[in-house]
Amino acid sequence: PALPAVQVFPNPTSVAVRISLGKVSGPVQLKIVDAQGRTIWKYEGEAPAYGLTWNGKTTSGQRAASGTYYLTLQQHNRQSTTILRVQR
């Protein structure tokens, strides 16, 4: 079975975004990738029961630039991708 779509709010965002994984449980990998295919943020671990917040910063601590990003949820060999827009 396919993974459910990841919900993000607000989208588009200018600061932080709330990420909801629905009823997904167990180990997951979440990553945000820019239009050039570079991973700018990643989470690996147990799926948070109440979701999590991305603060709008890259893993190096810089604010993500305005643009279109792809938020991918991966679990085992299944994945779901959602478009995330950042407007500064």
Side-chain angles (χ1 to χ4, degrees):
L3 287 170
V6 176
Q7 302 290 315
V8 292
F9 181 81
N11 190 13
T13 186
S14 61
V15 190
V17 67
R18 186 82 181 136
I19 302 168
S20 174
L21 305 181
K23 296 184 180 193
V24 174
S25 62
V28 296
Q29 180 186 69
L30 279 166
K31 63 182 178 178
I32 298 176
V33 177
D34 67 15
Q36 287 76 37
R38 296 177 295 224
T39 299
I40 65 158
W41 178 85
K42 184 191 267 187
Y43 169 85
E44 291 185 52
E46 290 296 311
Y50 300 103
L52 58 124
T53 300
W54 175 55
N55 64 4
K57 295 184 179 180
T58 66
T59 53
S60 63
Q62 297 177 327
R63 286 179 50 183
S66 293
T68 300
Y69 295 86
Y70 302 92
L71 172 61
T72 301
L73 166 64
Q74 187 168 5
Q75 186 177 50
H76 307 295
N77 60 348
R78 305 177 303 158
Q79 74 177 30
S80 174
T81 301
T82 301
I83 293 175
L84 170 63
R85 290 186 175 83
V86 175
Q87 295 177 339
R88 299 283 184 205

